[in-house]
């Protein structure tokens, strides 16, 4: 496993500012945290560079301490292949990040960690970014699924300037494969993991403990990630996966 195992050594080194990068040491950081780091991949079946990035993030899908979400976007459809899993809402989410992070334009593949930073879709930089975000955790609001109902509780905490909201992301756990029939990836079978199906805003988070109803119609096998996210700069303040 790339992430998961020895939290003390990795986090202590990063917090103290004496950490060496994986490129310097030849080793990969290992971090376990009760407050998961959210890794979002924006990708497309028609993007020539995306299959490799899909493979890089796939190994994070089952790692403890990481919530991995794949968002298929639709702006590559003009090349002749209509992405079978993309939704306009997913493209809109990426554009929100472009604005918040002051990026020049959306791109694929694009990896965003905890809503704070864009990271190269390569194992070394991604490992380091996840370890750094895990080590910098302060006092995030607790997110807890209620076992007897389709509800989720969010605890107290400090609300960022501009406010925050609670978002539910519904995804299909595991790998999906699609045979691409046209465009740059014609004839290839594209693998994508933890592909998002829908996203819903559950309500504002005011810093006080509150319980939110999850979207209706969830099946037992559905993956659900609940994110507490700043409205202005899009930082993810807390998260949990059911």
């Amino acid at each position: 496993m790339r992430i998961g195992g020895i939290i003390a050594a990795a986090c202590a080194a990063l917090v103290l500012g004496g950490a060496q990068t994986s490129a310097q040491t030849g080793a990969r950081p290992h971090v376990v945290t009760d407050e998961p780091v959210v890794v979002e991949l924006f990708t497309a079946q028609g993007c020539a560079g995306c299959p490799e990035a899909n493979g890089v993030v796939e190994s994070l899908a089952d790692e403890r301490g990481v919530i991995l979400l794949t968002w298929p976007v639709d702006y590559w459809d003009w090349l002749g292949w209509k992405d079978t899993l993309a939704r306009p809402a997913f493209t809109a989410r990426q554009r929100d990040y472009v604005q918040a992070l002051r990026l020049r334009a959306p791109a694929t593949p694009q990896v965003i960690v905890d809503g704070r930073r864009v990271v190269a879709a390569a194992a070394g930089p991604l490992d380091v970014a996840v370890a750094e975000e895990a080590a910098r955790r302060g006092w995030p609001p607790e997110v807890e699924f209620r076992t007897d109902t389709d509800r989720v509780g969010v605890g107290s905490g400090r609300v960022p300037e501009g406010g925050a909201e609670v978002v539910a992301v519904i995804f299909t756990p595991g790998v999906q494969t699609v045979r691409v029939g046209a465009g740059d990836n014609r004839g290839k079978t594209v693998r994508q993991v933890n592909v998002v199906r829908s996203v819903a805003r559950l309500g504002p988070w005011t810093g006080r403990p509150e319980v939110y109803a999850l979207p209706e119609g969830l099946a037992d096998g559905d993956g659900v990630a609940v994110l507490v996210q700043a409205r202005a700069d899009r930082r993810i303040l807390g998260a949990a996966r059911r």
Side-chain angles (χ1 to χ4, degrees), residues 52-214:
E52 182 177 357
N54 296 347
V56 169
V57 303
E58 184 177 324
S59 58
L60 289 176
D62 295 321
E63 293 290 352
R64 179 185 169 193
V66 177
I67 297 175
L68 173 65
L69 301 169
T70 295
W71 300 84
V73 296
D74 60 5
Y75 49 81
W76 284 98
D77 291 359
W78 66 274
L79 285 178
W81 175 256
K82 183 175 174 58
D83 195 297
T84 62
L85 301 172
R87 301 288 184 272
F90 305 165
T91 302
R93 180 172 178 83
Q94 188 183 21
R95 293 190 186 281
D96 287 343
Y97 278 130
V98 168
Q99 181 176 2
L101 298 174
R102 299 181 180 179
L103 307 176
R104 296 181 66 178
T108 53
Q110 189 167 72
V111 178
I112 296 178
V113 178
D114 263 359
R116 296 175 181 267
R117 58 201 284 190
V118 178
V119 181
L126 184 54
D127 290 346
V128 171
V130 170
E132 288 177 346
E133 291 304 317
R136 69 185 283 173
R137 287 291 193 227
W139 298 97
E142 183 179 6
V143 181
E144 183 180 44
F145 290 95
R146 303 301 169 94
T147 57
D148 57 338
T149 62
D150 284 331
R151 299 188 301 164
V152 62
V154 178
S156 61
R158 183 176 180 179
V159 180
E161 185 176 352
E165 61 186 3
V166 180
V167 176
V169 181
I170 314 304
F171 63 96
T172 301
V175 173
Q176 296 182 66
T177 59
V178 176
R179 182 79 170 175
V180 179
D184 285 354
N185 288 326
R186 181 178 181 179
K188 294 181 180 180
T189 297
V190 174
R191 291 171 59 94
Q192 296 174 316
V193 65
N194 289 1
V195 177
V196 177
R197 299 204 315 271
S198 64
V199 57
R201 182 176 178 271
L202 302 186
W205 179 64
T206 63
R208 297 189 297 271
E210 191 164 347
V211 176
Y212 302 83
L214 294 174

